[in-house]
Amino acid sequence: MQWQSLEHFLAMGGYGFFVWGSYGVTVAVIAAEIWLLRHRRRAALAQLRQASAAPARRSS
Amino acid sequence: MSSVTASPGFSLFRFAAPHVFYPIAGKMVPVFAALAAVLAAIGLYIGFFVAPTDAQQGDSYRIIYIHVPSAWMAMFLYVVMAFWAGVGLAFNTRLSSMMAQAIAPTGALMAFISLWTGALWGRPTWGTYWVWDARLTSTLILLFLYLGFIALQAAIDDQRRADKAGAVLALVGVVNVPIIYFSVKWWNTLHQGASVKPGSSSMAEVMLAGMLVMVFAFWMYAIAAVLARLRAIILERERRAQWVAEAREQGRL
């Protein structure tokens, strides 16, 4: 193990801002993409539900 | 009707039908997502706990584990996107155009990550977040090509025309990919040359190993994200198709 403590790890040898700024934003945009994908799927399914509701009432 | 019928001979073209590929993609998404998570865990462990501090750059070099994978994926995804857009343009296959549409946002995301991490790496190593050098500028153009493709498709109501216009843009933009790749050779750039070339590497082995594992992690993530988006696009575009209504009633969507 090359990090003596959590503080050393977070400091990244003085480059903490740059390293964690890179990783933090990367994680954030990937999380955002996953959220948007879920949202898009739900929206598509909701649209199908709405579209099928009207003709279904007529037939049954 | 939609059940698999014994067909004479195996045909790859069968998978080109959205109603056939939709459930297959549904099975693939969690597999690739899990692979991405496991590989990312291994890659980051190697990158942060096994690989040593770089003698010249200190710990700032650790940005490489996301910078290089995202940059490679941004270029690679663009070529794949242009390929499927071109196939859709040439053969009018619906799924191909949907695939191109599904790739664009993830490609744009990768281009953004590579530019963002590059800026934060450039500051401590070059003393600047941004410089109009050939590598950086051509990667910025790549991001704009992705965004242009997305905007163009969104701006045209007629889906077939949107696909065709997008395909032309995507195919014209392909020339940018070799420009990005060779920019560090063709021009005198601030960006360093390739550390990893086919057959040789100037990186320490453990750093290279961590980076390559992260490349595969990003690759698996991109496949999972693109397939998940493709499924949503299939539902959006095929919403009036009989198979969608049937699958919905049977709870198979």
Side-chain angles (χ1 to χ4, degrees):
Chain A
M1 181 67 83
Q2 52 194 308
W3 311 104
Q4 290 144 346
S5 68
L6 183 64
E7 280 112 86
H8 279 89
F9 180 70
L10 292 177
M12 276 292 140
Y15 296 108
F17 171 74
F18 304 102
V19 173
W20 300 124
S22 294
Y23 280 85
V25 169
T26 299
V27 169
V29 291
I30 286 176
E33 184 181 36
I34 293 169
W35 186 83
L36 285 169
L37 284 169
R38 293 234 168 100
H39 178 78
R40 189 166 182 174
R41 174 173 167 78
R42 281 201 214 106
L45 289 172
Q47 195 189 28
L48 289 173
R49 219 178 300 124
Q50 280 183 345
S52 74
R57 232 178 280 129
R58 249 185 292 138
S59 59
S60 57
Chain B
M1 287 301 281
S2 62
S3 65
V4 180
T5 50
S7 57
F10 176 81
S11 171
L12 260 182
F13 289 101
R14 206 169 64 79
F15 296 107
H19 77 274
V20 177
F21 197 70
Y22 181 87
I24 297 172
K27 290 199 182 78
M28 287 159 82
V29 170
V31 174
F32 284 103
L35 278 172
V38 170
L39 287 168
I42 297 170
L44 291 175
Y45 177 77
I46 297 173
F48 279 95
F49 298 104
V50 181
T53 301
D54 186 73
Q56 287 168 16
Q57 300 191 19
D59 287 310
S60 70
Y61 95 92
R62 292 185 202 274
I63 293 170
I64 200 173
Y65 300 111
I66 41 177
H67 177 70
V68 171
S70 60
W72 282 2
M73 286 313 299
M75 287 190 283
F76 176 69
L77 285 176
Y78 191 90
V79 175
V80 178
M81 179 184 87
F83 171 79
W84 286 118
V87 170
L89 185 65
F91 301 108
N92 249 323
T93 39
R94 287 174 298 160
L95 191 62
S96 315
S97 301
M98 294 184 206
M99 184 62 110
Q101 194 193 351
I103 291 171
T106 299
L109 183 93
M110 292 296 166
F112 169 78
I113 292 174
S114 77
L115 288 167
W116 178 268
T117 56
L120 282 173
W121 197 1
R123 181 75 182 123
T125 39
W126 303 336
T128 179
Y129 286 106
W130 183 260
V131 55
W132 291 100
D133 118 339
R135 172 57 70 82
L136 280 67
T137 307
S138 54
T139 305
L140 185 65
I141 290 171
L142 183 72
L143 175 62
F144 289 156
L145 282 169
Y146 278 124
L147 297 179
F149 179 88
I150 295 167
L152 185 62
Q153 283 226 321
I156 302 173
D157 285 333
D158 180 357
Q159 194 61 62
R160 272 172 185 270
R161 284 186 55 218
D163 286 339
K164 282 182 181 166
V168 172
L169 174 71
L171 287 168
V172 170
V174 166
V175 292
N176 188 45
V177 174
I179 291 177
I180 299 173
Y181 188 78
F182 292 111
S183 58
V184 288
K185 267 194 192 166
W186 293 345
W187 291 283
N188 188 8
T189 56
L190 190 55
H191 194 286
Q192 63 157 51
S195 298
V196 184
K197 301 180 196 101
S200 74
S201 163
S202 59
M203 284 170 72
E205 270 177 31
V206 64
M207 295 176 183
L208 179 66
M211 196 191 83
L212 290 180
V213 172
M214 287 304 286
V215 168
F216 284 112
F218 271 65
W219 202 335
M220 298 302 113
Y221 169 76
I223 293 173
V226 166
L227 288 178
R229 188 175 295 106
L230 180 65
R231 274 163 63 83
I233 290 170
I234 289 175
L235 289 183
E236 289 164 11
R237 291 206 194 180
E238 302 267 295
R239 60 185 181 277
R240 293 188 193 89
Q242 185 63 32
W243 74 268
V244 173
E246 283 175 12
R248 205 183 75 81
E249 276 159 27
Q250 295 162 15
R252 287 190 285 109
L253 278 187

